[in-house]
Amino acid sequence: MDQKNIFNFGQSKIFVTMFMMVLLMACSDSGSKPKVCDAPVDTVSIINELKVDTAVYYLVHRVTGWHDKSEIIELYDRKPTFNNCAKSDIEPVFGDSLDLDSTVSHIYLNLKTKQLNIKYVAGKPGASHNTSLKLELEAE
Amino acid sequence: MGSMQQLKKTATSCLTLKADMPMSPLWNMAKAAKRNSANDLKYLQDAINFLTCKAKEKHKFSGDDKEFLKEVYEAFWWGGSYNGYKEAAQLANHYVNGTGNPKTKPLSINSGVYETSKIVIATMDAMKKYIAELAAQNKSITSFRCDNVQFRSRPYSKKLTKMNYKTEGKMKPSGVLEAAQNNIRLHRTDGHFYLQALSAIKNSGEIRTTWRIDSLYDFEPFSKQNYYTNIPLGSGTLKLPDGLSEYMTKIGVAKAFWYRAEWFENWRP
């Protein structure tokens, strides 16, 4: 197959696909549509929990973005669940984006303010470092 | 394990994941998205998992493998455009159809996506204060970036580091600006970027500033991060490892490239 024929084959394929997609859109049943998420969907996971008396705090790691991603740490005072769009059923009590040029050394929870104090050391983190972070109680 | 055994293990390592390459991924993605077709989603995911294994083991990619990956990215152009993320769609398409623009010849994109963001507006305001300060001291205002150490030492730039990561975006400790998590259009275009000001004083006493952002479109390799780009299709998601997107540049399917947004402002200090 020469270059011209390859191009024509590629073009035909695109047009056929487009035509079929128009048919698909026209035939879609809008009543049974699943919830449409913003693309791409964040990668989210509960990475640690800390029990303090009767309360349990949950540390969540979230990766968001397309080619240039951000990593976010969230704190919840109840166990969150996430839907197919990675949205939580409750609001975090604290959240912040991580500095990806430095390595997190400690994450301290201040019980009075329910804020996190994130400590860094120099150097970029390894691939799995930020998903294995632990929550620590800040000394009063 | 002997070297022959190791070689055999490497050669057969992806066979258990072997999958047919979908010939029209756009069609399968549309069916998964519009009809919530689990079969189409699995068909696509199996193909991506197989290619991910091949990339990690550095196996040879066939023509069908390469065409599939290219068409997945072309499908992102459709999806991005359809959902109003025009710039992100343009960039994804350019990744597989562009020439790999060097920094000296960047791809030009619509600056509006940056200009309207809160972190960029606040940074422009702080940088103009610094330019006015330099001009008043007869110092050069020709060019500086937002990560300039002198600029970041000024009190009016400190507030940039305290802005809300979710709703406004913020300046990170290195001086790079991070798009707000909720500003999806910008975040999908560029997660982190440097704002540059190129200024000149006009005869009228006004200052003309060219605001410029140069960024590189690339992905983190398998060796550095375990990132995934999760594409929502119906009630499921297609998990595309960023390492595979990066590996596409190694097999000639994609090219990393520089892109630029630029706008101008005449203002009086």
Side-chain angles (χ1 to χ4, degrees), chain A residues 76 86 93 123:
Chain A
Y76 293 82
V93 293

Side-chain angles (χ1 to χ4, degrees), chain B residues 79-180:
Chain B
S81 302
Y82 182 72
N83 289 304
Y85 310 140
K86 287 181 288 185
E87 296 79 15
Q90 179 191 2
L91 296 173
N93 186 54
H94 198 74
Y95 191 52
V96 291
N97 286 308
T99 53
N101 304 58
K103 199 171 185 178
T104 49
K105 284 187 182 173
L107 173 76
S108 180
I109 67 162
N110 178 10
S111 64
V113 67
Y114 293 98
E115 282 184 77
T116 51
S117 81
K118 289 177 182 170
I119 183 61
V120 170
I121 292 168
T123 306
M124 285 170 65
D125 186 51
M127 288 173 82
K128 280 157 69 174
K129 287 190 173 82
Y130 184 60
I131 294 168
E133 199 180 301
L134 293 174
Q137 297 167 7
N138 285 324
K139 290 183 178 172
S140 171
I141 60 167
T142 311
S143 172
F144 74 100
R145 253 177 22 168
C146 61
D147 58 332
N148 178 288
V149 175
Q150 294 301 319
F151 164 66
R152 286 192 290 137
S153 70
R154 298 298 193 271
Y156 44 75
S157 72
K158 297 290 182 198
K159 68 172 186 182
L160 302 173
T161 63
K162 309 283 183 204
M163 291 175 69
N164 187 298
Y165 78 99
K166 200 169 193 173
T167 57
E168 299 174 312
K170 67 192 290 189
M171 178 182 271
K172 307 299 284 182
S174 64
V176 72
L177 305 181
E178 183 176 70

Side-chain angles (χ1 to χ4, degrees), chain B residues 100-107 145 194 196 212-216 256-260:
Chain B
N101 304 58
K103 199 171 185 178
T104 49
K105 284 187 182 173
L107 173 76
R145 253 177 22 168
Y194 294 97
Q196 185 180 12
R212 179 182 291 173
I213 291 166
D214 284 326
S215 291
L216 179 66
F257 62 94
W258 285 87
Y259 57 106
R260 171 178 291 175

Side-chain angles (χ1 to χ4, degrees), chain B:
Chain B
M1 192 185 291
S3 60
M4 272 307 283
Q5 280 176 303
Q6 183 63 48
L7 208 62
K8 193 177 172 188
K9 190 184 173 199
T10 304
T12 57
S13 54
C14 298
L15 285 181
T16 52
L17 295 171
K18 189 165 171 36
D20 293 332
M21 285 304 116
M23 293 311 289
S24 292
L26 179 60
W27 170 244
N28 299 114
M29 288 167 99
K31 272 179 77 185
K34 287 287 171 188
R35 290 289 175 113
N36 206 20
S37 163
N39 286 342
D40 284 86
L41 182 59
K42 185 178 184 305
Y43 188 37
L44 292 163
Q45 191 65 64
D46 286 350
I48 284 173
N49 293 348
F50 177 48
L51 296 183
T52 300
C53 183
K54 286 179 84 169
K56 284 182 173 173
E57 297 293 340
K58 297 192 167 44
H59 288 183
K60 194 175 186 319
F61 275 56
S62 70
D64 283 350
D65 296 344
K66 293 179 182 180
E67 189 180 348
F68 167 70
L69 287 173
K70 185 170 186 280
E71 288 189 15
V72 165
Y73 262 79
E74 286 170 345
F76 292 161
W77 180 86
W78 282 92
S81 302
Y82 182 72
N83 289 304
Y85 310 140
K86 287 181 288 185
E87 296 79 15
Q90 179 191 2
L91 296 173
N93 186 54
H94 198 74
Y95 191 52
V96 291
N97 286 308
T99 53
N101 304 58
K103 199 171 185 178
T104 49
K105 284 187 182 173
L107 173 76
S108 180
I109 67 162
N110 178 10
S111 64
V113 67
Y114 293 98
E115 282 184 77
T116 51
S117 81
K118 289 177 182 170
I119 183 61
V120 170
I121 292 168
T123 306
M124 285 170 65
D125 186 51
M127 288 173 82
K128 280 157 69 174
K129 287 190 173 82
Y130 184 60
I131 294 168
E133 199 180 301
L134 293 174
Q137 297 167 7
N138 285 324
K139 290 183 178 172
S140 171
I141 60 167
T142 311
S143 172
F144 74 100
R145 253 177 22 168
C146 61
D147 58 332
N148 178 288
V149 175
Q150 294 301 319
F151 164 66
R152 286 192 290 137
S153 70
R154 298 298 193 271
Y156 44 75
S157 72
K158 297 290 182 198
K159 68 172 186 182
L160 302 173
T161 63
K162 309 283 183 204
M163 291 175 69
N164 187 298
Y165 78 99
K166 200 169 193 173
T167 57
E168 299 174 312
K170 67 192 290 189
M171 178 182 271
K172 307 299 284 182
S174 64
V176 72
L177 305 181
E178 183 176 70
Q181 187 192 353
N182 289 357
N183 186 345
I184 292 167
R185 188 176 155 207
L186 175 58
H187 211 298
R188 278 35 174 177
T189 303
D190 205 354
H192 303 85
F193 49 87
Y194 294 97
L195 179 63
Q196 185 180 12
L198 302 110
S199 303
I201 300 176
K202 297 165 76 177
N203 290 337
S204 61
E206 278 190 329
I207 292 177
R208 178 179 168 81
T209 299
T210 301
W211 299 103
R212 179 182 291 173
I213 291 166
D214 284 326
S215 291
L216 179 66
Y217 192 94
D218 66 350
F219 289 85
E220 294 284 1
F222 289 117
S223 58
K224 284 195 177 170
Q225 287 294 349
N226 298 321
Y227 289 155
Y228 288 88
T229 299
N230 305 309
I231 312 300
L233 296 173
S235 58
T237 54
L238 182 68
K239 286 172 78 74
L240 178 63
D242 284 19
L244 181 60
S245 295
E246 189 273 341
Y247 196 75
M248 287 164 63
T249 64
K250 304 277 193 289
I251 54 172
V253 175
K255 290 187 177 76
F257 62 94
W258 285 87
Y259 57 106
R260 171 178 291 175
E262 196 171 72
W263 64 102
F264 307 94
E265 184 181 8
N266 291 316
W267 56 285
R268 198 168 282 280

